Amino acid sequence: MQKQHIIRNIIVETPSKPGNFAKVATAIGLGEGDIGDITTLKSGALTTLRDITITCKSIEQLDQVIANIEEIGNGVKIHAVTDDVLNAHEGGKIAMKSRLDVRSLGDLQRIYTPGVASVCMEIYNHPEKANYFTSIGNSVAIVTDGTAILGLGNIGPVAGMPVMEGKAVLLDQFVGLSGIPILLNTSDPDEIVETVKHIHKGFGAILLEDIGSPHCFEIEERLKEELPIPVMHDDQHGTAVVALAAILSACKATNVDVKKAKIGQIGLGAAGLAICRMLMAYGVEDVYGLDRQEEAQNRLLKHGGKTIGSLEEMMETCDIIVATTGVSGLIKPEMVRKGQIILALSNPNPEILPSEAIAAGAAFAADGRSVNNVIGFPGIFKGALDAGASAITYPMLIAAAQAIVGHTKPGELIPNPLDPTVHQLVARAVEEAANKK
């Protein structure tokens, strides 16, 4: 299980003189804290009050950061240390709300009985109109069994609910879709498939989320075969789309022809296998995979990929390395070959730090903080639903990756996920790809 990081907000008052905030930042750095957002709450003639978000690896590290700031003195004061993450989740992050107001008897009669009966019959006689007269075509079921929640592992569906709510928030905020969490108290593939089949008529698409490997593969494949609506396991294909976009951007920055490059994928879990399959669908001929489990390597061979004997051999052979193992420091600097592209995507601690990879001779290096699948899945589902697609295909996923690359500025790996334009572009690209005959 991945070690949990601590995020806190520290309210700090400093004298309004140049250099005082720098002392606070230095104190945080000396305690190995990572500074996030900084909000100025008050800027006065004598003092300035700031809200500083910091991330620490442990409570002990947080205590050291606080002690370092308090030792500065000279008018520097900590007013409060707050847990804004927990505060943001109080009462949950989502709610189902009406799009219409009920202010009169006429309103009530139109949206409920007796008026609603005519709408029911219209759908009964013309089933295709359900997407027009109901929210079905704008709704996505977010289905989990809680077996692979972030890096926390199998903590169960209820403990994973904040993640599902987060997905719903992102679907709503970025593309206007309604995401509805479905928590399943089973990990049996037969039971999950049957349950989703029984409830699918209330949704326009199915987003499978944080379902562990290897049963996630069987579940997605069976649902895609048996349901008439789009199904996508985001941990596989959403991640693969953004990884492909990142690889294309890195190759563009280093003048590498991705289709002629030898690409090595370290770790063949849900994300790793999907990245390999995405690269092969894009046209890369030499895709190599490595995993401790023979079963995982056999899955790659089944899909047309290649395996390799050892980590050392992969580092010697491949021009581009992608790692999704969750093992911090797995790639040693001495393994890095001059001119390689290295994407060490495990969060929060990558297989090798980008700075170490560059110092060892890599032409380009990035970690998981630069590759966030938030930039992919909202637009993918929006585009699929707008197109009325019955499935999410590789041409649609590749179109999404190309749209992301097309909106990436020079010097960036992928665009800022908070940029609303990129989600619109991804949705449009996916819709157009779905409508191509």
Side-chain angles (χ1 to χ4, degrees):
M1 183 177 287
Q2 176 178 294
K3 194 170 183 179
Q4 185 180 359
H5 278 212
I6 308 296
I7 300 176
R8 293 291 186 272
N9 283 61
I10 301 180
I11 311 300
V12 181
E13 184 177 11
T14 61
S16 296
K17 293 180 181 179
N20 279 288
F21 177 71
K23 294 177 182 177
V24 174
T26 300
I28 294 171
L30 289 173
E32 297 186 9
D34 186 21
I35 297 177
D37 290 342
I38 302 170
T39 303
T40 300
L41 303 178
K42 185 189 75 171
S43 181
L46 299 178
T47 63
T48 301
L49 193 66
R50 293 181 177 90
D51 183 343
I52 306 170
T53 302
I54 65 167
T55 302
C56 297
K57 295 179 181 179
S58 66
I59 288 293
E60 292 76 19
Q61 191 182 82
L62 173 65
D63 291 340
Q64 184 61 58
V65 167
I66 293 170
N68 289 351
I69 296 173
E70 289 175 337
E71 287 175 4
I72 296 171
N74 297 321
V76 175
K77 302 176 184 177
I78 293 178
H79 284 267
V81 179
T82 64
D83 189 338
D84 284 13
V85 174
L86 279 179
N87 293 343
H89 288 75
E90 289 181 2
K93 301 188 293 290
I94 60 175
M96 182 173 286
K97 294 185 178 181
S98 170
R99 293 177 56 244
L100 303 175
D101 292 329
V102 182
R103 298 183 180 277
S104 68
L105 184 58
D107 291 337
L108 181 61
Q109 292 173 337
R110 277 189 293 274
I111 69 166
Y112 195 52
T113 185
V116 73
S118 63
V119 185
C120 293
M121 291 309 299
E122 186 71 16
I123 296 172
Y124 177 77
N125 292 319
H126 306 281
E128 72 279 2
K129 292 187 178 182
N131 283 349
Y132 183 77
F133 287 117
T134 75
S135 62
I136 291 174
N138 202 49
S139 298
V140 178
I142 305 171
V143 179
T144 189
D145 67 349
T147 52
I149 301 296
L150 302 176
L152 302 173
N154 184 0
I155 62 174
V158 176
M161 179 62 165
V163 178
M164 308 310 125
E165 288 189 346
K167 286 286 198 196
V169 170
L170 298 173
L171 286 170
D172 173 54
Q173 293 289 309
F174 292 144
V175 294
L177 296 179
S178 296
I180 302 172
I182 304 294
L183 309 185
L184 300 181
N185 192 29
T186 178
S187 295
D188 180 85
D190 291 336
E191 293 181 349
I192 291 176
V193 169
E194 284 305 308
T195 300
V196 175
K197 284 170 63 178
H198 284 307
I199 67 170
H200 85 274
K201 286 186 176 293
F203 303 96
I206 306 294
L207 190 165
L208 301 175
E209 178 67 18
D210 288 349
I211 297 175
S213 174
H215 65 293
C216 64
F217 301 117
E218 177 187 349
I219 291 166
E220 186 194 40
E221 288 173 7
R222 288 174 59 182
L223 287 174
K224 288 173 73 172
E225 289 176 0
E226 299 179 35
L227 292 184
I229 60 175
V231 176
M232 188 180 85
H233 184 200
D234 186 44
D235 301 290
Q236 292 186 60
H237 310 296
T239 301
V241 163
V242 183
L244 174 60
I247 291 168
L248 294 177
S249 292
C251 287
K252 184 177 179 181
T254 54
N255 295 315
V256 172
D257 185 342
V258 66
K259 292 185 179 180
K260 294 181 180 179
K262 293 180 179 179
I263 303 181
Q265 168 64 46
I266 308 172
L268 295 172
L273 178 62
I275 291 170
C276 289
R277 295 179 64 186
M278 183 70 69
L279 289 166
M280 289 186 286
Y282 185 74
V284 179
E285 294 183 3
D286 293 318
V287 178
Y288 298 87
L290 178 66
D291 196 282
R292 292 176 299 177
Q293 297 184 7
E294 184 178 352
E295 180 186 5
Q297 299 205 142
N298 288 338
R299 277 194 293 269
L300 176 60
L301 292 171
K302 174 185 172 184
H303 289 293
K306 305 172 183 178
T307 58
I308 208 159
S310 67
L311 176 60
E312 290 76 13
E313 184 182 355
M314 176 168 282
M315 295 299 295
E316 291 174 2
T317 302
C318 296
D319 308 302
I320 301 171
I321 299 292
V322 184
T324 56
T325 65
V327 181
S328 175
L330 177 68
I331 300 174
K332 308 303 179 186
E334 56 269 23
M335 296 179 178
V336 177
R337 184 160 53 82
K338 186 175 181 180
Q340 277 181 320
I341 294 172
I342 297 181
L343 302 180
L345 303 183
S346 292
N347 271 322
N349 301 311
E351 287 79 4
I352 185 171
L353 292 172
S355 58
E356 292 181 353
I358 294 293
F364 191 98
D367 58 21
R369 292 179 297 180
S370 305
V371 183
N372 193 326
N373 65 357
V374 169
I375 208 167
F377 77 88
I380 293 170
F381 277 97
K382 177 65 173 174
L385 289 172
D386 285 351
S390 60
I392 295 173
T393 64
Y394 274 111
M396 293 161 70
L397 295 173
I398 290 170
Q402 291 172 326
I404 292 170
V405 174
H407 195 62
T408 301
K409 297 176 183 178
E412 293 183 344
L413 193 61
I414 60 172
N416 186 331
L418 297 179
D419 180 355
T421 303
V422 70
H423 299 286
Q424 297 167 11
L425 292 173
V426 169
R428 189 180 308 153
V430 169
E431 181 181 4
E432 289 175 355
N435 287 327
K436 283 184 180 179
K437 301 301 181 183

